[in-house]
Amino acid sequence: MKRTPVLMSAATIILLALAGCTPPAEPGTPVASESPSSPASAEPSPTAEALAEDVLLVVSAVATADNGAVLDLTMTVHRPTAFDDPASAAAAALMTDSCGGGTDDSVYADQLWTFASVDIEAVERPGTAWPTNRRLFFYPLATDVNIAADGAVLDDDMVDPATPHCRTDKHLDAPGSGVMVVGLEGDTDDVSAAGQFTRWANHMWGFSGVYVAGQSAAAAGIVLSECAYTVTDAGKALNGGSAEWIDLIDDERCQVGNPTI
C-alpha cells in the first residue's frame, strides 16, 4: 500500500481556530489558518497560564468519523531533554525497547540524542462510539525520525513485521491518551552537536485522517476540523515558528512545522 507524507512567548501564546478568518500577522509565528499551505501568522491567546514551562507546541483539532462519532484531539510537544539528563531515562528506555535493541544508551551518547516527549489526548464526545476501523495518524512520521509509543498511541501494523517499532508511523484507533517519544540525533548542547535542542523544529507536527495516497477525507471516513495550534515562547526560543514553518490545514490534516525534512 502506497503511503503519502500527508502534510499536514512568557508573554504571549499563539492560538487561532480554523473557524475564523484572521488577517496575516508577523511571519514566523504559526497559528491556525484556512489555507491548505500557508506561512505562519500571529494572534494572541489567553491560554498561557494553562501550559507548563517546558511546552513548546500544542496542536488541537476535532475528528468526526463517518458514523457521527467525534474526538477532541490534542498534541502537546515538550522540550527535548538530553540523553544524559535523568529526565530522559524513561524515554530512552522506551526507545530502546521500541527499536528492538537497534539503539541503546551507547548509541544515544555517541550520537548526542535528545528525546522529545509528545502527549496525545483523544477525548470522545458523548453519543456515538468511535468506530474501530477509523485510524488517526500522527506527525512526524517514522520515515523521518525514530519514534517510540506508549498508551493509546499504537505502532503501524500494516508494515513488514520485521520493521522495528521505532521505525513505524504512529496512530490511534480509539479514544484515550498516550505518548510519543521522538529521538533527535545531534541535538544536545554539546559543542559538537549541531542541534542545540532545536531539531524538533525541523519536523511537521499534528494529525492526519488520511494515510493512503490520493484518498479523500470522505473515503477515509474521518473529517478533521477546528484545527488550531499554539507556539509558546519556549518553542519560539528553540526555532519554533521560524520562517521555514508552514501550516497544512484542511479536512484531511491539521499540521504545522517545517516540511523540508
Side-chain angles (χ1 to χ4, degrees):
M1 179 180 296
K2 181 179 178 182
R3 292 172 174 96
T4 181
V6 186
L7 294 179
M8 40 180 163
S9 239
T12 305
I13 299 295
I14 306 149
L15 180 66
L16 183 65
L18 178 60
C21 181
T22 303
E26 180 183 357
T29 308
V31 293
S33 167
E34 291 187 357
S35 170
S37 178
S38 62
S41 55
E43 176 97 351
S45 165
T47 61
E49 297 80 3
L51 301 177
E53 292 182 357
D54 72 332
V55 171
L56 306 182
L57 172 70
V58 179
V59 184
S60 63
V62 173
T64 303
D66 49 5
N67 71 340
V70 178
L71 296 179
D72 291 306
L73 307 173
T74 307
M75 170 184 284
T76 304
V77 183
H78 297 270
R79 186 184 192 278
T81 53
F83 70 92
D84 55 354
D85 187 327
S88 289
L94 183 62
M95 183 66 72
T96 300
D97 180 67
S98 183
C99 289
T103 63
D104 57 25
D105 291 344
S106 65
V107 172
Y108 309 144
D110 182 60
Q111 298 179 0
L112 301 175
W113 281 42
T114 64
F115 299 93
S117 292
V118 183
D119 298 327
I120 304 290
E121 296 283 344
V123 179
E124 189 172 65
R125 295 187 185 179
T128 306
W130 188 261
T132 58
N133 61 343
R134 294 292 179 259
R135 292 184 172 186
L136 287 155
F137 290 87
F138 306 121
Y139 277 66
L141 299 177
T143 51
D144 303 324
V145 68
N146 288 291
I147 308 175
D150 198 12
V153 179
L154 305 175
D155 301 309
D156 185 4
D157 57 5
M158 298 186 292
V159 297
D160 185 334
T163 306
H165 293 310
C166 67
R167 302 303 300 176
T168 65
D169 300 333
K170 308 308 178 200
H171 72 278
L172 63 73
D173 54 14
S177 61
V179 174
M180 296 196 306
V181 171
V182 178
L184 302 162
E185 298 178 19
D187 191 47
T188 71
D189 57 1
D190 187 275
V191 293
S192 63
Q196 303 290 311
F197 299 104
T198 66
R199 289 198 163 169
W200 75 280
N202 293 340
H203 298 278
M204 297 296 293
W205 301 88
F207 314 105
S208 178
V210 171
Y211 198 53
V212 178
Q215 190 177 44
S216 67
I222 299 175
V223 171
L224 295 180
S225 62
E226 299 183 38
C227 178
Y229 54 89
T230 301
V231 180
T232 67
D233 283 335
K236 292 173 71 176
L238 296 175
N239 287 1
S242 68
E244 292 79 15
W245 273 40
I246 64 170
D247 55 41
L248 299 168
I249 298 172
D250 52 33
D251 60 357
E252 301 173 6
R253 57 195 174 176
C254 173
Q255 297 159 25
V256 62
N258 188 336
T260 59
I261 293 183

